[in-house]
C-alpha cells in the first residue's frame, strides 16, 4: 500500500524494508532518518518492543507530542525545543 505513496521512494531505495528482509523493529538509516517496520494488530495497535524503545530513547509512560512534520508523515516528539515550548505553553494542549 505504501509503495505508490509519497513514502514509496523510501521503500524502493531500501528493498530490505520493502520486502520485509529486516527483522521487525530493526532500524535502517536513510537520508539522516531511521526507519523500521512493525506489525499492526487487527484492532490497530502498534506495540514497540524494548529494542525499539531503547533505540528511540523512550521510556514507558512518557508523553509524546504530535508534531506536524510534512505532507507525508507526522512526528512524535519526546524531547527537544518543541517539547520545551509545549511545556511552557499557557494554553491547553489536548491529550489523546
Amino acid at each position: 500500500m505504501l509503495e505508490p505513496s509519497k513514502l514509496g521512494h523510501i521503500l524502493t531505495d531500501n528493498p530490505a524494508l520493502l520486502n520485509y528482509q529486516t527483522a521487525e523493529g530493526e532500524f535502517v538509516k536513510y537520508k539522516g532518518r531511521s526507519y523500521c517496520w512493525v506489525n499492526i494488530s487487527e484492532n490497530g495497535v502498534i506495540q514497540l518492543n524494548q529494542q525499539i524503545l531503547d533505540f528511540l530513547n523512550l521510556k514507558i509512560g512518557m508523553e509524546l507530542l504530535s508534531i506536524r512534520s510534512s505532507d507525508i508523515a507526522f512526528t512524535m516528539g519526546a524531547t527537544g525545543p518543541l517539547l520545551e515550548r509545549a511545556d511552557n505553553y499557557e494554553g491547553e494542549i489536548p491529550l489523546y
Side-chain angles (χ1 to χ4, degrees):
M1 290 174 52
L2 291 176
E3 198 171 5
S5 76
K6 290 185 177 186
L7 295 172
H9 70 280
I10 298 167
L11 297 174
T12 55
D13 290 353
N14 293 281
L17 282 176
L18 176 65
N19 299 310
Y20 300 97
Q21 294 170 327
T22 58
E24 182 176 8
E26 179 184 338
F27 285 88
V28 173
K29 289 215 180 260
Y30 177 70
K31 293 189 177 182
R33 295 190 183 252
S34 298
Y35 299 89
C36 74
W37 66 269
V38 294
N39 282 311
I40 302 173
S41 74
E42 285 187 23
N43 57 347
V45 174
I46 297 172
Q47 285 192 305
L48 306 180
N49 63 32
Q50 192 61 50
Q51 176 185 346
I52 295 172
L53 293 174
D54 291 345
F55 182 88
L56 297 172
N57 200 24
L58 297 175
K59 305 277 185 244
I60 294 173
M62 287 178 82
E63 290 185 350
L64 302 177
L65 182 66
S66 178
I67 302 168
R68 183 178 177 269
S69 180
S70 69
D71 64 339
I72 62 171
F74 73 98
T75 299
M76 300 298 290
T79 60
L82 288 177
L83 276 288
E84 291 173 24
R85 287 180 63 189
D87 285 340
N88 295 326
Y89 181 64
E90 304 253 342
E92 182 180 336
I93 298 175
L95 296 177
Y96 298 96

